[in-house]
Amino acid sequence: MVSDHEQVEEMARSFNRKVHFHDIPDAILSSIFSLITDTRSRNAMSLVCLKWHLLERSTRTFLSLRGNIRDLVLLPTCFRAVTNLDLSLISPWGCSIPDSSLNTTVLAQVLHWTFPSVVTLTVYARNPSILRLLAPQWPYLRQVKLVRWHQRSSTTLGSDFVALFEHCHSLASLDLSHFYNWTEDLPPALEAYPSIAASLSHLNILNYTSAQGFKSHELLAITSACPNLREFLATCIFDHRYIGSVGDETLLSLATNCPRLSLLHLVDSSSMSAARGDPDNDGYTTEDARISQNMLIEMFSALPLLEELVLDVCHNVRDTWIALEMLNSKCPRLKSLKLGQFHGVCKGIDARPDGIALCSRLESLSIKNCADLTDSGLISISLGCPRLTKFEVQGCKKITKLGLTKVASILRKTLTEVKISCCKHLNTVTSLQALEPIQDSLQRLHIDCVWEMVEQSVSEATSSAKSPGFKCSEKRRGIWEETNLKKKYKKYNFNGDGYASSTWAKLQYLSLWIEAGELLNPLALAGLDDCPMLEEIQIKVEGDCRHQSSPSSPDDFGLSSLRCYPRLSKMNLDCQTAIGYALTAPSGHGDLSPWERFYLNGIEKLNLTELNYWPPQDIDVNRRSLTLPAAGLLAQCRTMRKLFVHGTASEHLLRFLLEVQTLRDFQLREDYYPAPENDTSTEMRIDSCSRFEDALNRRAIPD
């Protein structure tokens, strides 16, 4: 007699033999396809069959155009469902569409007919003419991001926004974070179009292109014109020595003007600099900000819907624990908090939580430049905020490995992202040791490559094993060479328990800061040798190379040591804050070409498919340019598909890159202010870029 269980199994087998994937209703298939976000996966799906091709095209809502500006008239007509269109990366980068030789009126109509459903637009608006051309084509735009790294054109105040505000009456989101303009431009434009200002719910003026911050009266004019803002991000001036600085009155008025805010970011303009702080100072600035505890409490009371708050003041705000205790009750929805230069955030004197430790609903917490934060404060915060998944400490001078280890142990079930930077007592080794309780669950990590203890720790460990670890080069302080026994000893447990496994099982993203002239080689032996899931790494090099001895040919930064990460495929190598001489090297000093060879040597040994590279710069002449050694080394990357150089390059050097048979997408991006003008540069000529792209596109791509 057949049991019920066997009958069910037989029915299931019969069902599986008869049902095909295409028998699933189209509505469900469309929902499945719409969940796929990876571009290459979607492209592969569209090649399966005609039905999949139509489904993929009908569910693709985002598209970034990367073709040459002269080929826009050849746009395909099958992406009519696209609602989010990015035109900011059209090649040559930074070229204005109206300034091209094309018939701009016809081109605008082609764009509208090809993408009729666009409601979100990103565009490089080098001058107001681009918005005068495009805004009438999509009058129902709701979200717009403007990009500009070139100098502002000589036009009247607010003229960059007139066409947008005149034609797009449904505008709800405006992002100017990468758009160079004067702080005086936006307020009069918003005041001239009150209906548009009132409809805005998201405004991002957290400007990365300029060192200027918005003055207090400008912030008040903006928030007064936009009373319905739910998300507001802005750079401002908190230094009371400057006219228009932000203090108690401005903050309280801002909160009163926009009571519906759920996200508020206010960052001092000096904090936008990419430079790392000095870990040896005491953490206090010379001046205090004009921000009182009573005002903070009133501000929190005026923003009951707040979910994310960033206050990076860059000037001392002292004894803030009282106001932060009220933050928990006044803003019950708060989940993300970042504080910069706030002192006394948590006393941590006894077992009773206080200050920021009472914000029990926080899921993300970043504490920057808190001079008096101690290990006991850290422990109190981790006990009082059990939901934290993201935790950052930066420039906190008094915390140690012990406190961070306790945090990792207490939050081991929730913590997945950690950043540790510029903390005096936390170098690379101690930071990684402190995170051992969560090394099997951590997904994203930033640490500073400070090797001051690596030599001592590794030598102690390896001496007991009768094996040398690192030896210091006499030529340059801080440069390490691995011995031939590196592979034998992958990691040593410095607690005295002998060798132990150090697998970071779920780590997918790693961010590193390293001083100019230091080597990357000790990273693996410091404790990051086994990361089987690591796919992306970001390396930021900072320092002045002008007064260091120029690296010789055998010297190697250590990129080849990253071969121990089998799935590593994406890299951001940022050397823009490594300063040297490009064309102005005085007698006895070398230029930047040996340094580029130093930093890129060994990259050909990695199986990278995507690379963003920022060349070192000469700040005296505002020059970031690819040199001959760099072009030669990049040409040896045999698996590279995408290469974006954030600088300039001569056409004959670009020709080296044609040797990379797999290279599919390449672009020069001058995304730094002021971006060089194409008509005055001997490198960034439109014809040069177009000729290289033509040569690149003529090749057959292996896959």
Side-chain angles (χ1 to χ4, degrees):
M1 185 174 180
V2 180
S3 65
D4 292 341
H5 179 69
E6 291 174 342
Q7 287 181 346
V8 171
E9 287 186 344
E10 179 61 29
M11 290 174 62
R13 284 193 293 269
S14 176
F15 180 78
N16 289 335
R17 285 194 297 267
K18 296 178 181 178
V19 176
H20 191 271
F21 184 80
H22 285 173
D23 294 329
I24 300 175
D26 287 349
I28 298 178
L29 281 178
S30 296
S31 299
I32 295 174
F33 274 55
S34 64
L35 297 175
I36 307 299
T37 57
D38 181 67
T39 302
R40 291 202 68 195
S41 298
R42 294 192 69 97
N43 292 340
M45 290 161 51
S46 68
L47 300 176
V48 172
C49 62
L50 179 59
K51 181 175 182 177
W52 280 43
H53 174 82
L54 296 175
L55 280 171
E56 194 281 324
R57 294 298 188 254
S58 65
T59 57
R60 183 179 291 217
T61 58
F62 172 76
L63 190 66
S64 177
L65 295 185
R66 280 280 296 105
N68 195 287
I69 192 172
R70 66 187 178 185
D71 298 327
L72 286 180
V73 292
L74 304 177
L75 284 172
T77 59
C78 54
F79 295 102
R80 300 180 66 82
V82 167
T83 59
N84 187 342
L85 181 63
D86 188 350
L87 299 177
S88 66
L89 300 178
I90 291 177
S91 185
W93 185 92
C95 181
S96 180
I97 294 178
D99 294 339
S100 66
S101 59
L102 301 172
N103 187 324
T104 55
T105 303
V106 174
L107 178 58
Q109 294 174 352
V110 169
L111 285 169
H112 169 69
W113 187 77
T114 307
F115 307 108
S117 306
V118 170
V119 294
T120 301
L121 177 67
T122 303
V123 63
Y124 196 98
R126 190 163 175 176
N127 51 56
S129 59
I130 180 65
L131 290 177
R132 286 198 294 266
L133 177 70
L134 296 180
Q137 307 303 322
W138 294 296
Y140 299 106
L141 285 175
R142 292 188 54 81
Q143 300 177 354
V144 173
K145 179 177 181 179
L146 303 181
V147 181
R148 180 169 67 195
W149 292 90
H150 288 84
Q151 297 186 51
R152 179 186 181 278
S153 57
S154 300
T155 54
T156 58
L157 291 178
S159 59
D160 285 310
F161 312 110
V162 170
L164 182 65
F165 291 170
E166 277 186 353
H167 295 94
C168 303
H169 301 292
S170 302
L171 192 65
S173 174
L174 182 60
D175 188 343
L176 305 177
S177 58
H178 293 86
F179 182 73
Y180 177 77
N181 63 106
W182 296 342
T183 59
E184 301 93 334
D185 278 320
L186 187 58
L190 292 173
E191 292 171 353
Y193 295 89
S195 60
I196 297 295
S199 68
L200 286 178
S201 61
H202 173 95
L203 180 59
N204 187 347
I205 50 176
L206 196 68
N207 206 313
Y208 292 90
T209 65
S210 172
Q212 287 184 314
F214 284 83
K215 299 179 177 63
S216 58
H217 67 274
E218 293 167 342
L219 288 178
L220 293 180
I222 291 171
T223 54
S224 178
C226 307
N228 297 312
L229 283 178
R230 296 185 181 274
E231 298 180 353
F232 183 51
L233 305 88
T235 49
C236 48
I237 304 171
F238 285 102
D239 191 341
H240 66 86
R241 295 172 295 181
Y242 290 87
I243 297 175
S245 63
V246 173
D248 282 357
E249 183 179 350
T250 305
L251 290 177
L252 188 56
S253 298
L254 187 151
T256 305
N257 290 341
C258 303
R260 301 179 184 179
L261 284 175
S262 62
L263 181 150
L264 177 61
H265 287 206
L266 295 177
V267 179
D268 190 88
S269 56
S270 62
S271 182
M272 302 301 290
S273 169
R276 178 177 179 262
D278 181 5
D280 294 324
N281 63 27
D282 61 0
Y284 292 99
T285 58
T286 55
E287 298 288 336
D288 289 357
R290 298 294 174 86
I291 299 177
S292 65
Q293 306 307 313
N294 291 334
M295 187 286 307
L296 285 174
I297 295 174
E298 291 185 43
M299 177 183 171
F300 299 153
S301 302
L303 298 173
L305 304 179
L306 205 59
E307 297 180 14
E308 182 174 337
L309 175 63
V310 173
L311 291 175
D312 194 350
V313 179
C314 289
H315 300 278
N316 302 321
V317 184
R318 302 176 185 268
D319 300 324
T320 57
W321 61 275
I322 299 176
L324 295 176
E325 284 184 351
M326 301 301 295
L327 179 61
N328 182 55
S329 58
K330 301 297 183 183
C331 304
R333 300 185 181 184
L334 191 68
K335 295 181 180 179
S336 178
L337 178 63
K338 179 177 179 178
L339 301 174
Q341 215 66 43
F342 275 54
H343 309 296
V345 298
C346 179
K347 294 186 296 183
I349 297 176
D350 49 33
R352 186 183 70 85
D354 63 86
I356 202 173
L358 291 178
C359 300
S360 58
R361 289 176 290 270
L362 284 179
E363 297 176 4
S364 174
L365 176 61
S366 176
I367 303 175
K368 178 181 177 183
N369 297 334
C370 181
D372 55 2
L373 181 65
T374 61
D375 288 344
S376 59
L378 274 184
I379 296 171
S380 181
I381 291 171
S382 60
L383 290 171
C385 305
R387 301 181 184 180
L388 285 179
T389 60
K390 179 180 178 180
F391 184 60
E392 299 180 354
V393 283
Q394 183 176 351
C396 299
K397 315 299 180 181
K398 294 186 177 181
I399 61 175
T400 67
K401 171 187 171 183
L402 177 62
L404 194 59
T405 302
K406 291 290 186 181
V407 171
S409 299
I410 295 169
L411 299 174
R412 63 183 179 277
K413 293 183 178 180
T414 61
L415 209 55
T416 60
E417 183 174 351
V418 173
K419 177 178 180 179
I420 307 166
S421 178
C422 201
C423 296
K424 184 176 182 179
H425 302 293
L426 291 171
N427 53 47
T428 310
V429 172
T430 53
S431 297
L432 293 175
Q433 289 175 351
L435 296 177
E436 285 181 359
I438 57 171
Q439 68 178 22
D440 58 343
S441 59
L442 197 63
Q443 298 176 14
R444 298 175 66 88
L445 172 64
H446 171 91
I447 55 173
D448 294 344
C449 294
V450 180
W451 309 126
E452 60 186 22
M453 272 188 60
V454 177
E455 182 184 29
Q456 177 183 354
S457 301
V458 174
S459 62
E460 291 175 358
T462 53
S463 62
S464 62
K466 301 182 186 292
S467 165
F470 291 109
K471 58 182 180 180
C472 184
S473 171
E474 295 294 328
K475 184 175 182 181
R476 184 181 295 107
R477 186 185 69 82
I479 292 186
W480 306 90
E481 296 177 359
E482 287 188 71
T483 64
N484 56 0
L485 294 180
K486 167 190 149 185
K487 295 181 180 179
K488 183 175 181 181
Y489 302 109
K490 288 190 175 179
K491 180 182 183 291
Y492 191 84
N493 185 338
F494 298 118
N495 293 326
D497 300 329
Y499 295 98
S501 173
S502 61
T503 301
W504 301 76
K506 296 184 179 180
L507 188 65
Q508 300 175 6
Y509 173 86
L510 176 63
S511 173
L512 304 171
W513 175 93
I514 188 166
E515 186 178 359
E518 297 288 336
L519 282 187
L520 195 62
N521 295 33
L523 182 65
L525 290 183
L528 273 175
D529 58 320
D530 191 1
C531 305
M533 302 298 292
L534 184 63
E535 297 180 352
E536 183 175 357
I537 188 167
Q538 176 167 330
I539 303 172
K540 182 175 182 60
V541 181
E542 181 182 339
D544 195 335
C545 304
R546 293 174 294 188
H547 306 296
Q548 300 191 37
S549 56
S550 183
S552 58
S553 162
D555 283 344
D556 187 342
F557 176 52
L559 288 183
S560 59
S561 65
L562 302 179
R563 286 180 298 175
C564 61
Y565 307 130
R567 299 189 64 174
L568 182 63
S569 60
K570 299 179 181 180
M571 176 183 290
N572 293 337
L573 181 56
D574 186 354
C575 301
Q576 63 179 320
T577 49
I579 310 302
Y581 296 111
L583 303 174
T584 58
S587 177
H589 294 267
D591 60 14
L592 284 171
S593 57
W595 286 103
E596 278 209 279
R597 180 179 59 238
F598 172 73
Y599 284 115
L600 287 171
N601 200 9
I603 196 170
E604 72 281 358
K605 299 178 182 178
L606 307 177
N607 295 320
L608 296 178
T609 60
E610 184 173 333
L611 173 65
N612 277 272
Y613 174 58
W614 289 260
Q617 67 163 319
D618 186 335
I619 57 176
D620 294 332
V621 294
N622 189 38
R623 182 183 176 91
R624 306 179 190 185
S625 183
L626 205 65
T627 61
L628 177 60
L633 289 168
L634 291 174
Q636 300 177 41
C637 299
R638 301 305 181 189
T639 59
M640 192 77 68
R641 285 188 62 89
K642 296 182 179 181
L643 174 59
F644 305 123
V645 177
H646 300 261
T648 63
S650 299
E651 183 178 358
H652 72 280
L653 295 182
L654 295 182
R655 293 283 174 176
F656 281 71
L657 302 177
L658 295 175
E659 299 296 323
V660 185
Q661 296 298 319
T662 57
L663 188 61
R664 187 73 180 91
D665 196 359
F666 171 84
Q667 193 169 46
L668 295 172
R669 298 176 182 172
E670 310 152 271
D671 47 1
Y672 53 92
Y673 182 81
E677 299 291 339
N678 292 341
D679 54 354
T680 61
S681 172
T682 59
E683 297 178 324
M684 290 296 296
R685 289 178 176 158
I686 293 178
D687 291 343
S688 299
C689 294
S690 299
R691 283 193 294 268
F692 173 74
E693 289 179 355
D694 290 342
L696 188 65
N697 294 332
R698 282 195 297 265
R699 304 176 314 151
I701 305 300
D703 58 346

